[in-house]
Amino acid sequence: MEVVETIEAMRQARRAFGRVGLVPTMGFLHTGHLALIRRAHAECEQVVVSVFVNPTQFAPHEDFESYPRNMDRDLALLASEGVDLVFAPASSTMYPAGYNTFVDVYGVTDTLEGAARPGFFRGVATVVCKLFTIVQPDRAYFGQKDAQQTVVIRKMVRDLNLPLEVVVCPTVREADGLAMSSRNAYLNATERQAAPVLYRALTAAQQQYLAGERDAGTLRDTMQQVLAHEPLAQPEYVSVADLHTLQELAWVGDSGALLSMAVRVGPTRLIDNIMLDASRAGAGSRASPR
Ligand code: PAF
């Protein structure tokens, strides 16, 4: 496995490759990342993984400095997965002195994570756009856990005519339902026990939907009620939104919806989501209000 740190070395290696799958990461890899890598292996000739904790997607008060990092462990894992190349640039390589160009995706970034973390998607879109132009992948792989991020990246790729396909892979969960995330490493033992409440809240609303409930306010209340039973959980937002516009819904129509939430468990901010698939919810659906 080759490990390169410069843009020139990355470009040179790319020239010898065929159909490339890129898995962009911020390192501290977990099983969710490995699922993306395995999917990329199944669909592409070479797999490139980028490891870069992107400073522009962290606000000054956020956890950029303390974000978990372990490059040696990451490289061992990536080698054991048969990854062809790791692109691990320094911050000064991606953002040299005088850097002043950013990608703003409008329309899908002012709700949910975008509202809670102003500037976050500007940083994500900028770094992902740069990674796409540097690595020039045929396909890029992202997890459904960061649902809004996948909508933003898909829109950026469409709007800027970037020549690649975005592949979104299912969320990988621990046995108790907690979505895998590098930030789970922040949880102490008590918080870790409390953290699956996000998934329990999402699945409670999903069950209600599958049983026929279509009122988005009722689904939100159900999620809030489940969260309220866990004293360590402080919800930041609980949402039932349109899958494409990410605007809050009053009623879940035929096209389904995205159930999502951000919740602090102790000091750690966790996010999770489930897509409501209208095609799975047949019998018992209530008629929409007039
Ligand atoms: O999802 C992440 O880990 C990051 O937002 C990404 C896509 C690697 C960009 O820094």
Side-chain angles (χ1 to χ4, degrees):
M1 184 177 77
E2 211 179 332
V3 182
V4 302
E5 295 178 359
T6 68
I7 291 166
E8 296 69 34
M10 179 63 239
R11 290 219 159 112
Q12 194 177 341
R14 174 68 183 95
R15 280 185 214 115
F17 287 167
R19 189 173 168 74
V20 165
L22 169 66
V23 181
T25 81
M26 299 208 297
F28 212 72
L29 304 175
H30 51 69
T31 314
H33 293 114
L34 304 189
L36 303 180
I37 291 166
R38 288 172 194 163
R39 175 88 176 261
H41 265 308
E43 298 179 352
C44 302
E45 287 167 287
Q46 280 84 27
V47 176
V48 173
V49 175
S50 60
V51 179
F52 179 62
V53 185
N54 173 36
T56 63
Q57 69 190 72
F58 291 80
H61 64 278
E62 290 184 340
D63 56 346
F64 173 68
E65 295 299 339
S66 60
Y67 193 85
R69 293 163 170 89
N70 190 339
M71 194 51 135
D72 290 344
R73 181 178 155 276
D74 286 348
L75 291 178
L77 266 175
L78 294 172
S80 71
E81 287 295 319
V83 165
D84 297 273
L85 186 141
V86 179
F87 178 50
S91 255
S92 56
T93 300
M94 295 297 274
Y95 302 110
Y99 185 91
N100 213 359
T101 300
F102 294 88
V103 178
D104 273 314
V105 179
Y106 293 98
V108 287
T109 52
D110 41 13
T111 59
L112 307 174
E113 287 302 284
R117 303 180 65 189
F120 170 66
F121 285 118
R122 181 183 214 228
V124 169
T126 300
V127 80
V128 170
C129 189
K130 284 171 71 68
L131 290 169
F132 286 171
T133 63
I134 294 166
V135 178
Q136 299 187 16
D138 296 280
R139 288 185 167 196
Y141 295 81
F142 298 89
Q144 172 62 28
K145 178 186 162 265
D146 299 302
Q148 189 173 14
Q149 173 170 278
T150 67
V151 172
V152 171
I153 291 170
R154 279 202 157 123
K155 181 160 173 54
M156 175 184 78
V157 164
R158 215 172 35 245
D159 287 356
L160 296 181
N161 310 103
L162 301 179
L164 73 140
E165 193 183 328
V166 173
V167 181
V168 178
C169 303
T171 302
V172 179
R173 298 181 180 280
E174 305 282 359
D176 58 11
L178 175 64
M180 297 226 177
S181 162
S182 304
R183 287 192 169 98
N184 293 350
Y186 295 147
L187 301 168
N188 68 26
T190 325
E191 292 157 0
R192 173 64 190 82
Q193 272 202 317
V197 72
L198 279 79
Y199 188 59
R200 283 204 304 280
L202 290 165
T203 48
Q206 182 187 39
Q207 288 311 315
Q208 227 181 0
Y209 170 76
L210 291 173
E213 183 59 64
R214 293 292 180 271
D215 185 86
T218 305
L219 299 176
R220 276 183 215 104
D221 287 348
T222 297
M223 293 191 277
Q224 291 283 15
Q225 280 159 22
V226 175
L227 292 171
H229 278 103
E230 175 45 70
L232 285 181
Q234 300 284 327
E236 217 172 79
Y237 65 79
V238 161
S239 160
V240 180
D242 180 272
L243 283 165
H244 306 287
T245 65
L246 304 178
Q247 297 295 321
E248 288 304 310
L249 294 171
W251 192 258
V252 182
D254 289 343
S255 51
L258 180 73
L259 300 182
S260 69
M261 58 180 61
V263 178
R264 283 197 189 270
V265 177
T268 305
R269 185 175 186 278
L270 301 176
I271 59 170
D272 200 354
N273 69 84
I274 284 185
M275 268 169 28
L276 295 182
D277 178 357
S279 65
R280 285 186 57 209
S285 298
R286 294 192 196 161
S288 60
R290 287 174 198 280

